[in-house]
Amino acid sequence: MTGEAYPKELGEFLKVCRAQLSPRTVGLPESGAPRRVPGLRREEVAHLVGISTHAYARLEQGRAPVTGSVLTGLARVLRLDDAQRDHLFELAAGGECEARRRPAQRVHPQLRRILDELDTIPALVLGRRLDILAWNPLAAALLTDFGEVPAGKRNYARLMFTDPAFRALCLDWRTNARTCVAHLRTEAARHPGDPGLAVLVGELSVADADFRQWWAGRQMSGRRMGTKRVRHPIVGDLTLDWDSLTSTADPTQKLVIATADPGTPSHDGLLLLASWTAQPHPPAPDAAL
């Protein structure tokens, strides 16, 4: 594995990881002298992994090949969890990927049929990079009129970080926004040569300080299910359980649905929204992004 095609991401990830550890956490004595930088020094990481400081420095700079045994040692020394360890190995494998424009995604027909059958459950289909490929009328009534968003901008993370109205809907905005960042980081590790993802990350980094901070962090584990609290301008506060189901026909597409316990105010609110959307309307368009 050679990190040459993606050295910046690999080096930055290693820097962030060692900055969050202290000598005490890895069993090294602390001298008590002030440190110029937070966390572990390069030479301390190198010593614990069993390589020279020069070799580790070249690794962070993206100027040296890295073996599987060294990556395993880094994951151990830096106390990486399973998701972070996978991310480290995917970043190191980035040199085997070539930057290329990937074909536009369209919602899979089977997912489109499922959306058309869901009348009382908000649902949308997310593609790679969290592009919004399709949605049902109730999802539009609950979150935003996705049809009014230009196709090239129809992205869940972009709405989360740049649309004030969308942000105001999410009572747990920070949790939901960090989940978006974790998903994008995983996608970046898997497809480091994706120019569309690079453009999205650059745009969000400029637009939002929280995104910049979280993108530089080490959080990797995005949630596949959870609870979302929404403050809707018409039906009020809703507490919804959401789940993400991966398509077997196209694993890059996920069906995201939100439900509420029957008999609760949140369930009644969804039914009220569903009754409004039951009027004749044109089908929600599919998006090619």
Side-chain angles (χ1 to χ4, degrees), residues 21 24-27 74-81 84 218:
L21 297 173
R24 180 181 303 171
T25 60
V26 296
L74 286 169
R76 171 181 53 80
V77 168
L78 297 175
R79 305 292 198 268
L80 304 187
D81 61 25
Q84 293 161 353
R218 58 188 284 179

Side-chain angles (χ1 to χ4, degrees), residues 9-181:
E9 277 292 330
L10 177 60
E12 289 301 316
F13 183 64
L14 291 173
K15 291 175 187 177
V16 169
C17 289
R18 66 180 173 88
Q20 297 184 16
L21 297 173
S22 67
R24 180 181 303 171
T25 60
V26 296
L28 293 176
E30 295 194 62
S31 65
R35 291 176 169 244
R36 291 181 299 172
V37 294
L40 297 177
R41 299 187 179 100
R42 282 179 172 176
E43 57 267 27
E44 291 170 333
V45 175
H47 169 72
L48 292 169
V49 174
I51 59 177
S52 69
T53 301
H54 178 68
Y56 179 78
R58 286 174 58 84
L59 176 58
E60 279 199 357
Q61 295 162 3
R63 299 192 295 123
V66 55
T67 65
S69 61
V70 170
L71 290 174
T72 299
L74 286 169
R76 171 181 53 80
V77 168
L78 297 175
R79 305 292 198 268
L80 304 187
D81 61 25
D82 289 343
Q84 293 161 353
R85 184 181 185 279
D86 290 344
H87 185 58
L88 174 69
F89 274 79
E90 287 169 341
L91 286 177
E96 301 170 6
C97 305
E98 295 182 1
R100 58 186 176 89
R101 182 169 294 278
R102 305 169 73 189
Q105 276 192 298
R106 291 186 180 276
V107 63
H108 192 276
Q110 184 175 349
L111 293 180
R112 175 73 269 175
R113 291 196 297 271
I114 294 174
L115 283 179
D116 292 340
E117 293 295 327
L118 296 176
D119 296 327
T120 61
I121 296 177
L124 62 160
V125 176
L126 300 181
R128 54 179 182 258
R129 306 187 303 251
L130 297 179
D131 297 327
I132 301 169
L133 304 183
W135 59 93
N136 66 1
L138 188 50
L142 176 67
L143 298 174
T144 191
D145 187 352
F146 298 109
E148 294 297 317
V149 181
K153 300 292 186 180
R154 204 175 288 147
N155 177 278
Y156 196 84
R158 181 181 283 111
L159 290 173
M160 185 69 70
F161 282 97
T162 67
D163 187 326
F166 198 86
R167 180 186 293 229
L169 282 172
C170 302
L171 295 179
D172 301 312
W173 179 84
R174 291 180 67 86
T175 298
N176 293 311
R178 290 185 72 111
T179 298
C180 289
V181 174

Side-chain angles (χ1 to χ4, degrees), residues 17 109 169 216 246 248 275:
C17 289
L169 282 172
T246 301
T248 55
S275 69

